[in-house]
């Protein structure tokens, strides 16, 4: 069972690495994809690539072992609403700033979790409450607060998209408008649904665990690996559904990028 378990996780790690590498190569190589929006997708792909390269191997080494449970070191849209001013407001510099802020905040939150873990190892029983409080605050700022913000933003995007689709009904057929609304609904449902499906169980479990509730090894393993699987699904959600990525994928896999300069190719 352990051998099958590690073979399965190793295979998932390879898929995560390959999938996100294809996204990274596509956006970096093809000049058509050098847009602020795609820079954000590139940042996400780099983060998911690091999950496959670093987090997966480390987690596999400590999974189903006592180290995982005694070493706390390893616990851890403007374009739709204002489309006419999007290119002037959201440029490459703004996208880079957004990316730097995202990585900086993530680094600070991770540092906070590591410091809380080291405190829990050194402190006596009287400070366990402070450590639990620090962990709870960290979870609020690293997951629950961003989750609420994302839900509000996506809801606004969805409502604006529907309103814009209805506003152009006079120039498009009802079937076309209905298709646009359906696509918007589907996209938002996939993005938020998969994210919530993967990460919510882990943070709910961590919240109850920090409050002193009894934890089970099997449940810990399940919710932890489910969260990491989000890095496997992200390339399919953010990239594989785009026609430009499918075109870039064909050029990369066929080896054409090594046979000539396709950087200025028109991707459909």
């Amino acid at each position: 069972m352990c051998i099958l378990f590690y073979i399965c996780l190793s295979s998932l790690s390879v898929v995560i690495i390959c999938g996100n590498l294809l996204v990274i190569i596509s956006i970096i190589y093809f000049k058509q994809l050098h847009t602020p929006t795609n820079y954000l997708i590139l940042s996400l792909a780099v983060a998911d690539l690091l999950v496959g390269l670093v987090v997966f191997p480390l987690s596999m080494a400590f999974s189903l072992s006592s180290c995982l449970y005694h070493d706390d070191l390893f616990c851890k849209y403007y374009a739709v609403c204002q489309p006419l001013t999007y290119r002037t407001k959201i440029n490459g510099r703004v996208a880079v700033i957004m990316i730097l802020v995202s990585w900086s905040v993530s680094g600070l939150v991770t540092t906070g979790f590591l410091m809380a873990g080291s405190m829990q190892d050194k402190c006596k029983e009287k400070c366990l409450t402070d450590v639990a409080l620090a962990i709870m605050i960290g979870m609020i700022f690293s997951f629950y607060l961003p989750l609420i913000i994302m839900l509000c933003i996506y809801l606004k995007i969805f409502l604006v998209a529907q309103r814009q689709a209805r506003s152009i009904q006079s120039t498009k057929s009802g079937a076309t408008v209905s298709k646009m609304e359906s696509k918007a609904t589907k996209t938002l449902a996939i993005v938020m649904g998969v994210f919530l499906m993967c990460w919510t169980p882990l943070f709910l479990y961590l919240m109850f665990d920090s409050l002193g509730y009894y934890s089970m090894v099997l449940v810990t393993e399940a919710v932890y690996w489910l969260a990491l699987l989000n890095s496997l699904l992200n390339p399919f959600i953010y990239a594989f559904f785009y026609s430009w990525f499918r075109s870039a994928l064909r050029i990369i896999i066929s080896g054409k990028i090594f046979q000539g300069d396709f950087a200025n190719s028109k991707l459909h």
Side-chain angles (χ1 to χ4, degrees):
M1 290 297 296
C2 288
I3 293 176
L4 292 176
F5 177 74
Y6 285 115
I7 290 177
C8 179
L9 292 181
S10 299
S11 301
L12 292 177
S13 179
V14 171
V15 174
I16 291 175
I17 294 172
C18 293
N20 287 286
L21 270 179
L22 288 174
V23 177
I24 294 171
I25 294 173
S26 298
I27 296 177
I28 293 178
Y29 181 80
F30 295 100
K31 294 182 179 179
Q32 177 185 335
L33 306 181
H34 293 179
T35 64
T37 302
N38 287 338
Y39 292 155
L40 300 178
I41 296 178
L42 176 63
S43 175
L44 174 66
V46 171
D48 289 332
L49 177 65
L50 291 176
V51 171
L53 284 173
V54 180
V55 180
F56 252 73
L58 287 175
S59 298
M60 289 169 58
F62 286 91
S63 185
L64 296 180
S65 69
S66 59
C67 295
L68 180 64
Y69 308 106
H70 295 287
D71 191 349
D72 292 324
L73 177 65
F74 295 94
C75 294
K76 56 168 186 94
Y77 280 45
Y78 199 95
V80 176
C81 299
Q82 301 183 34
L84 298 180
T85 60
Y86 173 78
R87 291 187 178 277
T88 59
K89 298 291 185 179
I90 309 299
N91 50 36
R93 183 174 63 87
V94 174
V96 171
I97 293 175
M98 295 168 65
I99 292 171
L100 290 176
V101 170
S102 298
W103 282 85
S104 299
V105 172
S106 299
L108 290 175
V109 172
T110 302
T111 302
F113 274 114
L114 294 178
M115 291 178 62
S118 62
M119 288 173 56
Q120 190 173 10
D121 289 337
K122 298 177 182 178
C123 73
K124 298 180 181 179
E125 185 176 352
K126 63 179 181 180
C127 70
L128 291 179
T129 303
D130 296 333
V131 174
L133 179 61
I135 294 176
M136 288 291 294
I137 294 176
M139 287 190 292
I140 290 174
F141 282 97
S142 65
F143 180 75
Y144 293 108
L145 182 60
L147 175 61
I148 293 174
I149 295 175
M150 284 191 296
L151 287 174
C152 292
I153 292 176
Y154 278 122
L155 177 61
K156 182 178 180 181
I157 291 175
F158 172 66
L159 294 176
V160 172
Q162 282 193 321
R163 185 166 65 250
Q164 290 179 349
R166 286 193 293 267
S167 68
I168 60 175
Q169 191 169 5
S170 57
T171 58
K172 291 182 177 287
S173 65
T176 302
V177 174
S178 177
K179 183 178 180 180
M180 293 173 62
E181 293 184 352
S182 177
K183 184 177 181 180
T185 304
K186 182 179 179 180
T187 302
L188 294 178
I190 291 174
V191 170
M192 289 305 302
V194 172
F195 176 80
L196 291 174
M197 179 188 70
C198 291
W199 282 99
T200 301
L202 174 62
F203 278 91
L204 287 176
Y205 176 81
L206 291 177
M207 182 178 67
F208 285 109
D209 185 59
S210 65
L211 294 175
Y213 288 88
Y214 178 74
S215 60
M216 298 177 58
V217 174
L218 184 59
V219 176
T220 304
E221 289 288 315
V223 296
Y224 179 74
W225 288 108
L226 178 62
L228 293 186
L229 282 179
N230 188 227
S231 296
L232 169 68
L233 300 174
N234 276 335
F236 295 92
I237 299 172
Y238 289 94
F240 279 57
F241 289 161
Y242 291 97
S243 59
W244 57 258
F245 182 79
R246 291 192 292 270
S247 299
L249 186 64
R250 286 192 290 268
I251 295 176
I252 294 173
I253 293 181
S254 64
K256 290 183 178 180
I257 60 174
F258 301 108
Q259 302 172 4
D261 186 8
F262 289 86
N264 295 308
S265 300
K266 183 66 175 179
L267 303 175
H268 303 284

